[in-house]
Amino acid sequence: MKITLIAKFAAGALALALSGAQAQTIVKFSHVVADATPKGQAALKFKELAEKKLPGKVTVQVFPSSQLFGDAKELEALLLGDVHFIAPSLSKFDRYTKKIQVFDLPFLFDDIDAVDSFQSGPNGKALLESMKARGLLGLAYWHNGMKQLSTSKDVLKRPDDVKGLKFRIQASDVLEAQFRALNSNPQKMAFSEVYQALQTGVVEGQENTWSNIYSQKFFEVQKTIAETNHGIIDYMVVTNVKWWDGLPADVKKGLSEAMAEATAYGNKLANDINEADKKKIAEAGKAKIQKLSKEDVAAWRKAMEPVWKKFEGDIGRDPIDAALKSNK
Ligand code: LMR
């Protein structure tokens, strides 16, 4: 009797010690947008699913709105191990791989379905793995939507209307070339600084999705938003290769599953969020939404054409052709 009790106690102690040995993994996920956006919603879903699949083993802390790290710092922080997941827009990786610039080519993708189909193909999949030597592993693509152009001016219909204007751009050389082709002045700037820069006139315009224009209140400090759909904002969820490879097998499996499910959830929502936010912007009546005719769109397309030539060499013909094929 006594011996069984002692044996039981010892077994319990051993179990405790073992569970103590696999300490809780704290997973930090940092991003720059609001919770109510496609990326914000997908990140929260990932937290919910990961904690459900790995009870007591994993706690996911989501830091939205550049609270932990902004644009300028998040990639460095990931490489230093200060954060475990980030989901920068595809425009923000060009220091790590030139091929990813394909996503920034103006008027390449007709819509997010085309982007999705490209990402699920061999070129898209290869890009997820293309930064491994630099310490970054892509786990998924998350959608936002098509970019619209906005300025502090009353008229925004044709490329001439942005001549000489200062635009905030994401840190991408392709986007810089795009605004130079429009004879305007691009300025690379972190996302968290854009509202104030627009408000104070440091820049006069920007390009973004409806969900970002709404959640950041850009529509309150811009006069006109032209429905150009000239490019995309989409994301790659990346992690630190060393950290990821060092995770216990069960944690890695649970996080991978949670990521796949959160991706499906968020990507299904993205379009609806953008459409709803466009409606809210229209209802607010602060910025005018400028519809464009086929001829207007053709003029923007033509003005931005030189960008393709400039980056074709770095990107390679193969991804560009695959992207073109993904348009239905
Ligand atoms: C931007 O900087 O405008 C966007 O990339 C922000 C985001 O993450 O959607």
Side-chain angles (χ1 to χ4, degrees), residues 32-33 39 71 89 92 144 168 170 191 208 212 233 235:
V32 301
V33 292
K39 177 161 62 180
D71 273 340
S89 95
K92 294 173 184 168
N144 188 340
R168 176 270 172 171
Q170 304 178 75
F191 186 58
N208 232 304
N212 279 345
I233 288 193
Y235 309 108

Side-chain angles (χ1 to χ4, degrees), residues 93-110:
F93 288 101
D94 67 1
R95 266 186 300 154
Y96 298 89
T97 169
K98 291 287 171 207
K99 285 201 181 310
I100 208 160
Q101 291 178 322
V102 67
F103 290 106
D104 274 345
L105 290 181
F107 291 106
L108 173 60
F109 295 102
D110 287 349

